[in-house]
Amino acid sequence: MSVDSTVNLEDGMQEVTFLKTPIMATYLLAWMIGDLEYIEAYTTGDFSGEPVCCRLYAPIGLATHGRYSLDLAVKSVEYFSRLFDIPYPLPKLDLVAVPDFSPGAMENWGLITFRTHAVLLDEHSTNDRQREIAATVIHEISHQWFGNLVTMDWWSDLWLFEGFATHLAYIVVDELFPAWDVWSEFVTRVQHVLKQDALRTSHPVEVGVANPSEITQIFDEVSYMKGASVLRMLSGWLGEDQLLKGIRKFMMRYMWGNANTDDLWMTLAEECEADVPEFMRRWTRQTGYPVLTITEIDESTIMVRQSLFLSTGDIREDEDDFIWPVPLALATAEDPTPKNIMMTTKELVLKVDTTRWYKFNMGQSGFYRVSYSSRALDLLGQTLKSGEETETLKTADRVGLLTDAAALVAAGVSPTSSFLTLLKYFEDEENNLVWAEISLRLQDLVAVWLEQPTPVVNAIKEVQRRLFKNIVKRLGWTYPEGEDPAIGNLRALAIRFAGRAGDPEIVAEARRRFVIFMANRDTSAIPPDLLFPVFEIVLKTTTGLEEYEAILAFYRETYSPGEKVVALTVLGYGNSPEMIQRTLAFAMSEEVRNADILSALATLRSSVMGRAELWNFMRQHWDILYERHFDDLRFVEYFILFSIGMFSSVEKYQEVQDFFANKDTSQCDRILANCLEGIRTRILWLERDREDVEVWLKTNGYLATTSLEEIGKSESSVGGMMAIATEEDGQYVHHPFSRRTSPVHAGHGLQLSLAGLGRSPSGSSVDDVLSPATNDTRHSVPSATSSCSSSPPAVYLDHPEHQNLNHLYHTHEHQHHHHHYHHHEHSQEHGHQRQHREYLQHSFYQQQEQHSRSQIYLNESAARLIDERFQLSQQQEQLHKSGAVLSETVTAAPGVVMNELMTMSMAATTMGVTSPQVMTLEGELEMLRLGGEDDC
Ligand SMILES: [Zn+2]
């Protein structure tokens, strides 16, 4: 809260009294003491009665980098005051940039904490970073109302508050930055969760929560993004205005208290006079989503059938009895305005002119996939290619067509060639989001085909090269002043994908720029957006160590956290056995923070050699790794994922099974099952469509017909696969790869007739596990290790200038002298602080490198206090006491349930039960963005 009064005491101390904290849930209470500086701005007060003071606090020397976020904060406070028709509920709003903060951000009431990365922009920041920051800041500010002023009843309602915060953030970003086309971006983000939710191991959006460990495990992308998607469907159905009217009523009714999911549905139902509860429950309480299969009966009639979509493609009849209410949003060539038909039956016959294009899920706000006949898909493709309907088939619809087609191919519903053919219609596409999807879907394919004979792999690379080369030709390498950021993104994407496919001109240009850049850090040679592509291309196309050394030196030298992540991540693209070994050793060395190890390893799996070595490394060091990181479940999960998650051969499947057969996998059985299921899915895809792809490559001139014999050799692995499915004791052996061959496969590829064999328990595929979480996915989880949930009630000191803490910075020696970190303006600085600013900045970045020193900004005594009282694993007695005191303190508060859970979490820790550590989400995102895909 804001300062109420300050009294100067005789001994030179000051007594500061703060305004009374309003009633709130305990998990939202936060306090912070530190040597920080701030910049501030006020809202106009038009909607808040009087202007609200918004401040951005950051470590000394960095506050000005928060100008962008502060402006966003002011605008969003005004926006939400108007949207909810409720003034901002507190007298002030502080945003604090905290180094080494575990979650991306946390919406503590009036004191939102962020990782520095998630709130500060520097001159090395890419355009994407601006968008991410906007999404995060606005999301957290929406929680000040939706989440804080009205708080969830219990953790099972978390999805609703997170889903809505995500949804609302998109509405506001779209309003503030219409050029960003965020709703199209939303459609691309939803793809990850569509993948994840197409597995039998997925879970409903709404699930019961009985203990703290369930919270971290369940609240994943499904809760956030499927939640947000379903709300978007609801918005489409009711109309956004109606929905917001209902929300306003809900806020008024439950403000300063708790509410659950049904409370909201009932309020919306009253306001909108629609059966909201039934619609929402069908989507939130059922795992998975439907695919609509369109059958053309004649030239004017189609039949639509909905059934559960599984990426393994092996749905059983008894799994397919659920009916979702599906908003069809059907557009046709005659009437491109989508018709809002709600499908509430298994099948539906519609009148549609099938000689011209038609499209379902227009605008892509529905959470489902559509399987068209090849003729209908072709008509849509031709329409796109001709450009006549670019106004009608907007970015989101083009992304939808592509991603649906790709998903149906991977699930074996249609042959891979149909996707490759569809790609040809996109040659003249200009939108960066559509191209980003094309690149990802191609990478999925390449990942599976990577170990195929060289001519085939080269032919697929040629497809990729031709697609992306043209864009580079058109856009060049330079970033003109004032250019649309979307064009800049597209340029970087095209250079990366044409370069990684080995285009000689692009490789040569990347190498030329690399030399200039490394000679004297000439940043004009490599603009920020191109740093990753250029480093990657250079490392991939060399076997000498010179470039590797140069990038490593750059990693050690740069102060920019963004640049550091890039340098560390690209090391895994090293092309020789020596580089791979060095990357492995370096990742595990003291030089790399624990939180960054995974970034260094993520990219290793992109090459056949890297995958193999990572797998060897894991096997050799398993016991040590497992022991050392046992308490960090996510680390172990990711390590397994990176080591085995990209395999797509029978041999590797067996190796993995054999290796883990006699290991204790109790902490990682889920990820293991997921990975094995992923390998199985890829093997099946390959077996099914290997021939289909080769035929397509030849027919389309990417593969010479003479290499046929060479390709024939690869058939041997099919024999190996079939050999596993043998009969034993009159029964089929339990066989992990078996599946029924569905009729749709007839006529293409190899047929596997393993009907009736047992199936292994399914799991999510590797890519699904990898799907990026929203910025603050686990921010409000009461993990025993997260500071926000274990903080006791206390005051928050608004005035860091009263704390003279500089000596803390000086306790750390500094070895580097490259001060190329500049800033552009001065902010609130005080005397000696300014003098030492550069030195402190420098120290600050050094601190960032040193893991577990995240309390650097804290007053020594405050740090000791926290250590003594609240560091759970160390002071268990104290902990119990704190928990008990806390319980008493807040029994009367509405957030008492949170408190109970928190106490449970503490107790769990004291009893030695390890709760999964909240991983640095921002780091995860970075890792996923940079190295999360496979490549060739
Ligand atoms: Zn949130």
Side-chain angles (χ1 to χ4, degrees):
M1 293 298 286
S2 307
V3 171
D4 188 18
S5 65
T6 306
V7 179
N8 288 317
L9 304 176
E10 284 173 4
D11 54 1
M13 303 285 282
Q14 282 185 322
E15 187 181 281
V16 182
T17 309
F18 298 89
L19 292 173
K20 191 179 171 188
T21 302
I23 192 163
M24 65 165 86
T26 52
Y27 78 102
L28 294 169
L29 197 61
W31 57 296
M32 186 171 288
I33 304 167
D35 194 13
L36 304 168
E37 63 178 18
Y38 66 86
I39 50 177
E40 67 178 20
Y42 285 82
T43 63
T44 60
D46 290 352
F47 289 91
S48 291
E50 55 190 278
V52 176
C53 176
C54 301
R55 282 183 182 170
L56 183 129
Y57 284 89
I60 307 296
L62 294 176
T64 51
H65 294 301
R67 179 58 67 188
Y68 171 75
S69 295
L70 183 65
D71 289 346
L72 280 173
V74 169
K75 282 183 189 147
S76 346
V77 166
E78 289 186 337
Y79 193 92
F80 285 121
S81 304
R82 202 169 58 223
L83 187 90
F84 293 119
D85 201 17
I86 298 173
Y88 176 71
L90 302 178
K92 59 96 179 171
L93 173 65
D94 293 328
L95 282 62
V96 190
V98 184
D100 251 359
F101 182 56
S102 187
M106 172 66 209
E107 74 269 22
N108 317 299
W109 216 358
L111 173 61
I112 308 176
T113 41
F114 298 87
R115 283 196 106 195
T116 45
H117 227 49
V119 72
L120 302 180
L121 276 177
D122 63 37
E123 69 270 29
H124 304 291
S125 298
T126 57
N127 288 314
D128 280 347
R129 174 68 55 203
Q130 286 185 31
R131 298 160 74 108
E132 284 152 20
I133 288 178
T136 310
V137 169
I138 296 171
H139 175 110
E140 300 309 329
I141 290 175
S142 77
H143 275 315
Q144 305 303 303
W145 285 262
F146 206 87
N148 299 6
L149 185 60
V150 177
T151 299
M152 57 189 164
D153 231 2
W154 182 242
W155 296 94
S156 44
D157 301 309
L158 179 67
W159 78 269
L160 177 68
F161 287 85
E162 292 310 337
F164 247 114
T166 305
H167 183 76
L168 290 169
Y170 271 91
I171 292 177
V172 179
V173 176
D174 190 40
E175 178 94 6
L176 297 178
F177 306 97
W180 286 1
D181 192 14
V182 285
W183 285 114
S184 296
E185 195 190 304
F186 183 89
V187 174
T188 67
R189 272 189 67 189
V190 169
Q191 297 309 316
H192 299 288
V193 70
L194 280 165
K195 262 181 149 186
Q196 192 180 334
D197 204 29
L199 290 154
R200 287 192 178 85
T201 46
S202 185
H203 59 83
V205 170
E206 217 181 329
V207 275
V209 174
N211 69 63
S213 69
E214 284 178 4
I215 297 171
T216 36
Q217 283 168 36
I218 292 166
F219 292 109
D220 53 8
E221 191 81 338
V222 171
S223 318
Y224 275 62
M225 281 311 283
K226 189 180 178 182
S229 297
V230 171
L231 291 168
R232 191 174 174 221
M233 264 195 296
L234 179 69
S235 173
W237 178 42
L238 300 176
E240 193 175 292
D241 289 347
Q242 280 294 104
L243 178 76
L244 292 174
K245 248 169 99 179
I247 299 230
R248 264 173 228 131
K249 193 166 183 177
F250 170 78
M251 295 294 294
M252 290 305 284
R253 194 174 279 176
Y254 295 99
M255 60 201 259
W256 305 105
N258 299 55
N260 64 33
T261 304
D262 275 346
D263 293 333
L264 179 59
W265 301 159
M266 298 314 287
T267 313
L268 285 173
E270 268 170 44
E271 185 63 39
C272 307
E273 288 170 9
D275 195 354
V276 177
E278 173 66 8
F279 178 87
M280 290 307 284
R281 282 173 199 155
R282 293 233 138 216
W283 283 99
T284 59
R285 293 185 181 174
Q286 176 75 12
T287 305
Y289 59 88
V291 53
L292 305 187
T293 305
I294 316 299
T295 313
E296 291 172 7
I297 295 169
D298 58 43
E299 290 198 342
S300 62
T301 321
I302 57 168
M303 214 249 301
V304 186
R305 182 172 204 284
Q306 59 159 298
S307 47
L308 174 69
F309 180 68
L310 289 178
S311 63
T312 41
D314 54 357
I315 184 169
R316 296 185 309 267
E317 220 170 284
D318 63 305
E319 290 175 302
D320 192 24
D321 54 1
F322 191 82
I323 295 172
W324 284 268
V326 183
L328 294 179
L330 171 65
T332 60
E334 302 106 333
D335 184 6
T337 313
K339 271 188 280 300
N340 250 336
I341 308 160
M342 186 69 78
M343 180 179 185
T344 51
T345 49
K346 198 80 189 154
E347 294 178 344
L348 186 64
V349 174
L350 292 170
K351 285 284 165 201
V352 169
D353 177 0
T354 58
T355 61
R356 299 174 69 191
W357 72 264
Y358 60 89
K359 185 181 177 295
F360 286 90
N361 201 7
M362 204 62 176
Q364 295 295 128
S365 55
F367 194 79
Y368 57 90
R369 298 218 183 264
V370 186
S371 174
Y372 296 97
S373 70
S374 57
R375 190 176 79 138
L377 201 59
D378 211 43
L379 283 170
L380 277 162
Q382 283 167 18
T383 311
L384 284 176
K385 180 87 178 164
S386 69
E388 55 187 276
E389 293 290 348
T390 42
E391 274 310 298
T392 314
L393 295 170
K394 295 205 168 71
T395 305
D397 293 302
R398 303 201 299 278
V399 166
L401 275 179
L402 260 173
T403 49
D404 280 3
L408 295 168
V409 159
V413 175
S414 11
T416 306
S417 55
S418 70
F419 174 69
L420 290 168
T421 301
L422 182 68
L423 277 187
K424 300 187 86 174
Y425 292 120
F426 283 85
E427 280 165 354
D428 302 325
E429 175 64 50
E430 293 188 354
N431 186 281
N432 66 312
L433 291 172
V434 179
W435 277 111
E437 281 306 320
I438 292 174
S439 73
L440 287 171
R441 301 313 137 211
L442 263 179
Q443 289 322 107
D444 287 347
L445 179 68
V446 171
V448 175
W449 261 256
L450 193 56
E451 292 177 52
Q452 291 305 293
T454 313
V456 177
V457 176
N458 282 344
I460 299 174
K461 281 186 185 177
E462 181 62 24
V463 174
Q464 180 174 325
R465 205 157 35 225
R466 282 190 208 170
L467 281 168
F468 288 95
K469 178 68 184 283
N470 284 336
I471 306 173
V472 184
K473 272 190 181 151
R474 181 158 59 83
L475 298 179
W477 285 68
T478 46
Y479 280 73
E481 194 81 27
E483 181 183 58
D484 177 358
I487 295 173
N489 288 345
L490 179 55
R491 175 184 300 113
L493 182 84
I495 288 174
R496 185 175 178 202
F497 279 83
R500 62 158 51 175
D503 182 85
E505 279 175 43
I506 286 165
V507 171
E509 181 63 12
R511 301 190 69 82
R512 187 184 74 79
R513 287 169 177 268
F514 183 79
V515 171
I516 300 170
F517 178 83
M518 283 301 176
N520 53 5
R521 296 289 181 266
D522 182 353
T523 49
S524 68
I526 311 182
D529 282 335
L530 294 185
L531 196 67
F532 194 97
V534 168
F535 279 13
E536 181 191 331
I537 293 166
V538 167
L539 262 193
K540 274 201 169 142
T541 50
T542 184
T543 48
L545 277 173
E546 200 185 322
E547 290 88 347
Y548 186 91
E549 298 282 6
I551 293 172
L552 194 57
F554 179 70
Y555 169 79
R556 290 174 169 143
E557 187 187 303
T558 180
Y559 297 133
S560 160
E563 289 186 343
K564 264 198 194 302
V565 173
V566 168
L568 185 65
T569 311
V570 291
L571 289 179
Y573 287 122
N575 218 1
S576 68
E578 190 179 354
M579 285 187 227
I580 290 169
Q581 290 306 331
R582 285 191 58 176
T583 302
L584 273 169
F586 183 68
M588 306 311 288
S589 75
E590 293 287 301
E591 266 192 87
V592 176
R593 299 188 309 170
N594 270 359
D596 290 338
I597 293 176
L598 293 169
S599 304
L601 298 179
T603 41
L604 275 173
R605 73 212 154 105
S606 67
S607 66
V608 177
M609 205 182 344
R611 281 178 201 179
E613 287 308 315
L614 195 54
W615 172 226
N616 286 337
F617 182 86
M618 191 181 91
R619 279 185 291 183
Q620 281 160 19
H621 301 93
W622 173 253
D623 292 338
I624 300 170
L625 282 168
Y626 197 60
E627 200 178 305
R628 189 189 297 167
H629 297 284
F630 186 82
D631 58 345
D632 188 350
L633 188 60
R634 297 187 68 81
F635 184 93
V636 176
E637 287 191 341
Y638 274 97
F639 209 102
I640 292 174
L641 182 67
F642 292 166
S643 302
I644 66 172
M646 279 300 163
F647 289 148
S648 45
S649 73
V650 177
E651 296 73 25
K652 290 296 180 200
Y653 188 97
Q654 292 283 310
E655 270 182 38
V656 172
Q657 271 203 324
D658 293 348
F659 176 74
F660 285 105
N662 58 354
K663 301 279 182 293
D664 169 20
T665 56
S666 53
Q667 291 284 315
C668 55
D669 49 354
R670 189 179 140 260
I671 186 80
L672 212 52
N674 288 349
C675 284
L676 285 167
E677 181 72 351
I679 302 173
R680 191 177 81 95
T681 307
R682 279 189 292 278
I683 292 170
L684 287 168
W685 184 9
L686 187 60
E687 299 299 357
R688 202 170 49 227
D689 280 358
R690 179 187 291 138
E691 202 175 274
D692 171 60
V693 167
E694 282 160 19
V695 169
W696 187 92
L697 289 169
K698 278 179 212 150
T699 317
N700 289 275
Y702 292 96
L703 183 64
T705 39
T706 47
S707 55
L708 243 184
E709 284 158 20
E710 224 169 316
I711 293 156
K713 289 175 196 162
S714 66
E715 306 283 321
S716 58
S717 72
V718 179
M721 168 142 174
M722 295 300 283
I724 298 170
T726 53
E727 218 171 344
E728 213 173 64
D729 299 334
Q731 295 236 319
Y732 281 109
V733 178
H734 174 75
H735 180 263
F737 311 128
S738 59
R739 73 196 297 285
R740 288 169 299 164
T741 307
S742 80
V744 284
H745 302 124
H748 77 276
L750 288 157
Q751 299 299 307
L752 292 174
S753 299
L754 301 170
L757 294 177
R759 283 190 321 96
S760 74
S762 57
S764 40
S765 85
V766 174
D767 308 308
D768 310 312
V769 182
L770 269 177
S771 55
T774 44
N775 283 329
D776 59 347
T777 306
R778 290 160 195 91
H779 64 185
S780 34
V781 171
S783 154
T785 50
S786 97
S787 58
C788 52
S789 58
S790 53
S791 297
V795 290
Y796 161 55
L797 301 185
D798 274 294
H799 295 283
E801 62 263 41
H802 296 308
Q803 315 288 327
N804 183 5
L805 305 170
N806 279 342
H807 65 278
L808 257 186
Y809 287 97
H810 294 272
T811 58
H812 301 284
E813 54 180 314
H814 65 300
Q815 297 139 343
H816 304 293
H817 301 280
H818 307 276
H819 297 271
H820 66 220
Y821 195 86
H822 308 293
H823 33 157
H824 307 297
E825 48 181 313
H826 290 268
S827 59
Q828 306 248 351
E829 291 182 16
H830 311 282
H832 62 282
Q833 289 175 344
R834 182 171 298 156
Q835 272 179 351
H836 291 292
R837 176 163 40 75
E838 195 176 26
Y839 172 66
L840 292 175
Q841 267 178 1
H842 170 92
S843 299
F844 163 66
Y845 280 117
Q846 275 215 306
Q847 285 315 311
Q848 282 202 311
E849 290 164 32
Q850 298 187 24
H851 182 67
S852 83
R853 292 200 187 273
S854 58
Q855 288 160 334
I856 186 63
Y857 55 91
L858 287 176
N859 175 309
E860 257 183 339
S861 61
R864 204 178 316 123
L865 188 75
I866 289 170
D867 277 348
E868 284 175 5
R869 292 215 184 144
F870 307 111
Q871 280 203 350
L872 305 173
S873 57
Q874 291 172 8
Q875 301 282 343
Q876 300 174 346
E877 287 279 299
Q878 287 281 12
L879 185 68
H880 268 313
K881 242 183 259 170
S882 309
V885 171
L886 215 53
S887 288
E888 282 167 29
T889 318
V890 291
T891 301
V896 65
V897 286
M898 314 298 167
N899 181 63
E900 276 169 15
L901 202 69
M902 203 153 68
T903 314
M904 279 165 72
S905 168
M906 289 172 174
T909 310
T910 359
M911 291 183 293
V913 181
T914 323
S915 73
Q917 199 167 357
V918 178
M919 197 173 147
T920 46
L921 282 168
E922 190 65 21
E924 262 181 74
L925 281 174
E926 194 68 34
M927 188 164 70
L928 293 160
R929 190 171 312 108
L930 299 178
E933 326 109 40
D934 218 35
D935 66 332
C936 56

